[in-house]
Amino acid sequence: MRLILALLCLAIPAFSQRLIVGAEGGLRLTGDTPQYGSSDSKPYLVGPKIELGLPLHFALEVDMLYSRLGNTSYIPSVANESKIRTIANSWAFPVLAKYRLPVARTHPFLSLGIEPRYAGGRIHTIHYGYYPSDVTFSSVDWQAHDRAWVLGGGIGFGLWKIRITPELRYLRYKVPASPTPNDASWNLTVPRNEAQFLLGIEWPAR
């Protein structure tokens, strides 16, 4: 976190050097596996990005990535069965310190940072009682947050006036042993380790 704050301070004079905007999309290569029930999460990630050039081949990148998360769980019991479906819109905000290796054409880079994530949606519950007609429905809104450390690497190559940046990222989520309703893992199966493949398209803003 101190490194990120230091880079933010350095980024103020960087506005006069280079500002890059773009979009990013990709897939989660690892999925969530609920202990009871099934996953309804979508593997895609998509959103805008912005990058500030810094001296000495460094840069600061901030993304805003959208994804769809969810699961369906079953709680069987005699005359007391429930089906619970949780859905969520997830917004992640990776803040990454990047170092571009001075290699011509491919421009490889390494990145390190933190990713706060905010999720919110609805929980739909169907409860079955003793009699076939004894069925009740309920829905409730929910929202929560979590965060992950991010380590990544990729390459960048020019194509006309844009730059293409395929990248692999490893995320290590903080999953509390005893989550509270403020934690995303309270309602979702959050994997502690996640791998992502992202493909960025960038162009200079100034």
Side-chain angles (χ1 to χ4, degrees), residues 132 151 196:
L151 176 64
Q196 299 176 352

Side-chain angles (χ1 to χ4, degrees), residues 113-188:
I114 191 170
E115 180 182 290
R117 182 172 65 174
Y118 299 86
R122 294 183 67 84
I123 302 174
H124 303 279
T125 302
I126 304 177
H127 181 263
Y128 303 92
Y130 183 80
Y131 298 102
S133 60
D134 188 10
V135 180
T136 59
F137 302 87
S138 64
S139 295
V140 62
D141 294 329
W142 73 278
Q143 57 183 357
H145 58 80
D146 58 6
R147 65 181 184 274
W149 290 102
V150 185
L151 176 64
I155 59 174
F157 54 91
L159 183 64
W160 293 291
K161 294 184 178 181
I162 63 175
R163 183 169 61 187
I164 309 298
T165 57
E167 179 184 2
L168 287 173
R169 290 182 186 176
Y170 165 74
L171 289 80
R172 176 73 173 182
Y173 279 97
K174 182 179 180 181
V175 181
S178 300
T180 70
N182 291 326
D183 299 310
S185 55
W186 176 265
N187 292 312
L188 297 172

